[in-house]
Amino acid sequence: MELQYKKISENEYDIIMTMIAEDKGVSDYLPKDLELESEMITVAYLEKEIVGLVQIEPDKDTSFVVVFVSINHRNRGIGNALIKYAEDYLKEIQAKKIMTSYSINNENSKRFARKHGYERYFSSAYMKHNGGKFSSELIPVRHYCDEDYLDAFKLSTEAFHEMRVSVGDFPDSKIEEPSKQIRDRLKQEAENRYTYFIDGEIVGHGWLEGNEIGSISVRIDMQGKGIGRKFAKYLCNELYNRGNKEIFLWCVVGNKARYLYESLGFEELYVSEFARKYLRE
């Protein structure tokens, strides 16, 4: 069996979505993980038929890989070939490790991941809000600007490190160091990033991506004062103001922020397990 690989084209989108819809084990969550219009997806053909795909998000540190095989072509080694294709490419660019994800209830995907050396890292709930805009007070939030970088980055990395330690699934968690690369990325994303001030000091940082709240962080010494609730309402309203009918976010299982999101009306859609594999130390 020899597969042919090619970057996805627009006329293949509907074929791929039909294949995914036929698999009830992944149809609820996999479409949200795929970026069909990107260069990251490679389609696999056997003769003249699409039999699967692999999405590769390359990064020197942690790359992300999604593999899918049509239900009509499983148990033929196609999944093995797709994951090898992805790993060979990431080894060439000297990626350090690979992350993948699957529904926590999908035992077949779990077995496939373990078979190829991917070990569970953490679990996260995908949550949805569709209750419409909140009535909220005026709060001191504005768009992020480059001058915010050091304080916003510091409070975010410290807050997320504390969360990861409290959850217990991140034994290698550390507070990330600032860098020009990260600063440049945040500057490029400024229109989707927000800074919360109190008495002229930065106490919160938030990020929106598409119809999702990408992250919300509050300075550790200011947590428990209602800032997160006000900030979350503000960011939800921003997304609704952009015309979104539904808002989504990820919440790591065990993160105490889950109670806040539920109190605001977010509902769990599914839980994904994230697994990783080291290519090099």
Side-chain angles (χ1 to χ4, degrees):
M1 179 189 68
E2 185 174 349
L3 299 178
Q4 294 81 47
Y5 301 98
K6 64 181 289 290
K7 295 296 182 183
I8 192 169
S9 59
E10 188 173 350
N11 62 357
E12 294 166 329
Y13 296 168
D14 289 344
I15 298 172
I16 294 299
M17 295 308 295
T18 299
M19 286 170 49
I20 292 172
E22 292 172 348
D23 185 345
K24 301 305 180 184
V26 304
S27 59
D28 288 342
Y29 71 91
L30 186 57
K32 298 181 179 68
D33 288 343
L34 298 177
E35 297 185 31
L36 290 182
E37 298 179 4
S38 78
E39 286 289 310
M40 296 186 293
I41 292 186
T42 297
V43 178
Y45 278 82
L46 185 58
E47 296 179 352
K48 296 183 179 181
E49 183 178 6
I50 297 177
V51 295
L53 65 86
V54 57
Q55 177 172 285
I56 306 171
E57 299 178 40
D59 186 272
K60 285 290 187 181
D61 183 63
T62 304
S63 300
F64 198 86
V65 170
V66 175
V67 168
F68 175 76
V69 178
S70 165
I71 59 173
N72 298 320
H73 295 87
R74 291 182 183 165
N75 301 314
R76 300 174 62 183
I78 293 171
N80 298 335
L82 289 171
I83 197 68
K84 183 178 186 303
Y85 174 90
E87 291 183 359
D88 286 348
Y89 168 75
L90 292 172
K91 287 174 183 176
E92 284 184 11
I93 68 167
Q94 298 185 322
K96 182 178 179 181
K97 52 184 177 287
I98 306 176
M99 190 93 74
T100 191
S101 68
Y102 40 81
S103 169
I104 199 166
N105 298 317
N106 193 322
E107 294 300 326
N108 288 333
S109 294
K110 283 185 185 182
R111 283 194 291 271
F112 180 81
R114 300 295 186 272
K115 171 185 173 182
H116 290 278
Y118 291 81
E119 298 295 333
R120 179 192 179 277
Y121 187 31
F122 67 95
S123 300
S124 192
Y126 197 57
M127 307 182 73
K128 178 180 77 173
H129 188 280
N130 60 359
K133 291 178 63 175
F134 292 94
S135 57
S136 58
E137 62 190 91
L138 185 66
I139 60 174
V141 174
R142 63 157 170 75
H143 275 291
Y144 168 88
C145 64
D146 187 56
E147 288 73 20
D148 299 337
Y149 173 67
L150 290 178
D151 288 338
F153 178 78
K154 182 175 187 294
L155 78 84
S156 296
T157 54
E158 289 179 350
F160 279 105
H161 172 68
E162 182 183 71
M163 179 276 291
R164 291 190 293 265
V165 170
S166 70
V167 166
D169 276 342
F170 303 87
D172 53 356
S173 177
K174 61 182 179 180
I175 298 175
E176 196 171 3
E177 294 294 327
S179 70
K180 183 180 184 303
Q181 181 182 15
I182 297 173
R183 184 168 192 158
D184 289 345
R185 176 170 57 81
L186 267 60
K187 186 176 181 179
Q188 292 173 359
E189 299 169 347
E191 67 179 50
N192 290 312
R193 291 186 174 271
Y194 296 82
T195 307
Y196 195 129
F197 286 85
I198 291 182
D199 296 330
E201 295 186 354
I202 297 175
V203 298
H205 182 67
W207 171 45
L208 305 179
E209 184 178 23
N211 61 353
E212 293 186 0
I213 296 178
S215 66
I216 301 176
S217 51
V218 175
R219 205 172 73 191
I220 291 175
D221 65 316
M222 298 297 288
Q223 293 178 7
K225 301 179 183 292
I227 295 170
R229 173 174 293 274
K230 294 176 183 177
F231 204 6
K233 288 181 177 180
Y234 179 95
L235 294 175
C236 285
N237 285 348
E238 283 293 307
L239 288 174
Y240 281 124
N241 287 338
R242 296 181 184 187
N244 295 294
K245 304 300 182 184
E246 298 175 322
I247 296 170
F248 301 90
L249 59 79
W250 286 99
C251 184
V252 173
V253 172
N255 182 357
K256 60 185 179 182
R258 169 74 179 250
Y259 302 109
L260 166 62
Y261 299 138
E262 288 180 336
S263 73
L264 293 175
F266 279 88
E267 298 179 346
E268 178 186 297
L269 296 178
Y270 56 84
V271 177
S272 286
E273 185 171 274
F274 292 76
R276 64 181 178 176
K277 175 180 181 178
Y278 282 85
L279 296 179
R280 60 186 179 88
E281 296 297 333

